[in-house]
Amino acid sequence: MTSIVTKDVIGPDVPRRTLTDLGPLAQLRAGRLARRLPQLATGLVLYGISLALMVRGDLGLAPWDVLHSGLIRHIPISLGQAVVLMSFVVLVLWIPLRETPGVGTVANALVVGFSADATLWLLDRPEALAARGALTVGGVLLCGLATAMYIGAQFGRGPRDGLMTGLARRTGLSLRLVRTGLEVTVVLIGLLLGGVLGLGTVLFALAIGPLTQLMLPSLIVELNRESIGGS
């Protein structure tokens, strides 16, 4: 088990909250499920909504969604189904990296795509540029919150995040370099497939890291230390 310690949340006299790296059974034994499971589910649903907001904003998508939007031009599936499909493709790539899926990993693979499709069904693309800009910015902000929520629930990494951390661990390269390499790769593949790239893609790339870092400390759910110690 490894721990990542975040900055002080309230002040110097308040214990710092920590992110722990646990297997699936240990995640369930670690307590506070009445708080953690709803937070995980809400975060993943909001993540799917944020994806759909950027699609309807039509000013550019997040890097992985550029790939998804290109994929659906060649396969008769919805955008949300493409998200689910690619999630399980990425999970296959975890095998040689020896990454261990968590409860949140599998939930992420399924819930985000279904939530995105439901939101796209309910929401139309506005004509006004200001409204589209608001949807794009709102999608990025909501994605930052959603990411912090699902990570803070401490049920494991999503498929794409796990691919990043696994590659970094195996290659010895920094997370920043691996993430940049992955995102450039999926954007290029997405563009070759006809995916959507624009200002929203740049905004997402610049903002999602700082937004998540800002929101995460207050959303990390402290686990039952006795349960962790016994896992």
Side-chain angles (χ1 to χ4, degrees):
M1 179 187 73
T2 59
S3 297
I4 304 171
V5 182
T6 67
K7 64 180 181 179
D8 289 334
V9 177
I10 300 175
D13 297 328
V14 179
R16 288 178 294 179
R17 301 182 181 187
T18 58
L19 286 173
T20 54
D21 189 6
L22 302 172
L25 292 179
Q27 289 169 2
L28 293 173
R29 296 192 192 109
R32 305 198 66 184
L33 295 182
R35 161 73 187 277
R36 293 167 59 218
L37 285 172
Q39 180 171 314
L40 172 68
T42 302
L44 295 179
V45 169
L46 291 179
Y47 201 112
I49 293 173
S50 74
L51 186 163
L53 292 180
M54 293 189 69
V55 171
R56 291 300 186 232
D58 198 18
L59 293 174
L61 301 175
W64 279 94
D65 295 326
V66 175
L67 174 60
H68 301 146
S69 66
L71 187 64
I72 64 176
R73 292 178 177 268
H74 303 274
I75 303 176
I77 57 177
S78 68
L79 185 70
Q81 290 169 342
V83 172
V84 174
L85 174 62
M86 283 306 304
S87 294
F88 284 100
V89 170
V90 170
L91 283 177
V92 172
L93 299 178
W94 280 35
I95 297 173
L97 298 175
R98 297 184 181 178
E99 289 288 293
T100 303
V103 175
T105 307
V106 178
N108 184 302
L110 296 171
V111 175
V112 171
F114 295 146
S115 172
D117 271 350
T119 306
L120 289 171
W121 183 75
L122 293 170
L123 185 66
D124 292 326
R125 175 187 181 276
E127 294 299 325
L129 181 60
R132 289 165 52 206
L135 287 178
T136 299
V137 173
V140 173
L141 291 172
L142 186 60
C143 189
L145 173 62
T147 302
M149 288 185 72
Y150 102 74
I151 291 176
Q154 308 225 51
F155 280 109
R157 294 177 290 274
R160 294 154 187 81
D161 289 336
L163 178 62
M164 174 186 66
T165 56
L167 285 171
R169 179 168 51 83
R170 283 289 178 176
T171 62
L173 300 173
S174 69
L175 283 174
R176 178 179 299 180
L177 183 59
V178 171
R179 175 172 179 168
T180 300
L182 278 174
E183 293 189 347
V184 168
T185 300
V186 298
V187 165
L188 290 176
I189 295 173
L191 288 176
L192 289 174
L193 294 174
V196 180
L197 177 71
L199 289 176
T201 310
V202 177
L203 176 62
F204 185 95
L206 293 175
I208 194 64
L211 284 171
T212 303
Q213 184 174 352
L214 176 67
M215 298 178 187
L216 180 59
S218 61
L219 289 167
I220 294 174
V221 183
E222 276 294 304
L223 304 180
N224 185 323
R225 295 185 180 276
E226 293 181 359
S227 298
I228 296 173
S231 62

